Amino acid sequence: MSKESISKIYLVLEKIEYIEEIIKDAGSITRALEDAVTKRPAILMHLTAIAEQFNKLKLENATHILEAFDLGDIKGIYDVRTYIAHDYEGVNLAIIEWIIRNGLPKFKTLCQSVINQYTAV
């Protein structure tokens, strides 16, 4: 596992933790997403950055890392990134909330598992 590839997983984990911090500061996911000036844009940017890291792993054929994740989940996060980039004002916040509640905890656990495998070597 290359250091460059694993650094992308560290970055995904960092972005997830930033989103968690934003939500903690707001008091809830709903309140964070209601803040159209600072918190919602920050969350959307972090989600975009997460998707970009997975896309970079895909482009560099880092299958040894990507196989730890569900390919459908990776496609889903990239589809959300595309939606954010091309229809920012029309982003369905219910979908974003679902991703934060259900998708990000799964990604976080898998990222930690990949990192643990890497640091154990």
Side-chain angles (χ1 to χ4, degrees):
M1 202 176 302
S2 77
K3 287 185 180 186
E4 187 175 319
S5 294
I6 199 66
S7 71
K8 291 173 179 61
I9 296 301
Y10 276 104
L11 187 57
V12 168
L13 186 57
E14 180 179 68
K15 297 296 182 181
I16 292 170
E17 290 171 349
Y18 288 161
I19 291 170
E20 291 172 340
E21 189 63 33
I22 291 165
I23 291 164
K24 181 180 171 189
D25 288 346
S28 72
I29 295 170
T30 304
R31 280 195 216 125
L33 292 175
E34 287 172 350
D35 178 0
V37 175
T38 56
K39 291 178 176 48
R40 181 192 315 160
I43 289 170
L44 295 179
M45 185 54 69
H46 291 309
L47 288 173
T48 299
I50 289 167
E52 289 298 330
Q53 295 312 305
F54 281 110
N55 192 50
K56 288 177 184 179
L57 288 167
K58 180 181 170 186
L59 292 173
E60 64 188 44
N61 295 314
T63 55
H64 55 288
I65 292 177
L66 291 173
E67 63 191 15
F69 299 87
D70 181 285
L71 294 181
D73 290 342
I74 292 172
K75 181 186 180 318
I77 195 74
Y78 198 77
D79 288 348
V80 166
R81 170 244 166 272
T82 301
Y83 191 58
I84 290 168
H86 295 284
D87 190 16
Y88 186 81
E89 296 303 323
V91 171
N92 185 331
L93 296 181
I95 292 172
I96 301 301
E97 184 168 348
W98 187 93
I99 290 167
I100 293 168
R101 286 189 194 285
N102 302 294
L104 291 188
K106 184 177 175 181
F107 276 118
K108 184 176 182 179
T109 299
L110 293 171
C111 286
Q112 290 168 328
S113 176
V114 168
I115 290 168
N116 288 342
Q117 284 180 324
Y118 175 75
T119 56
V121 174

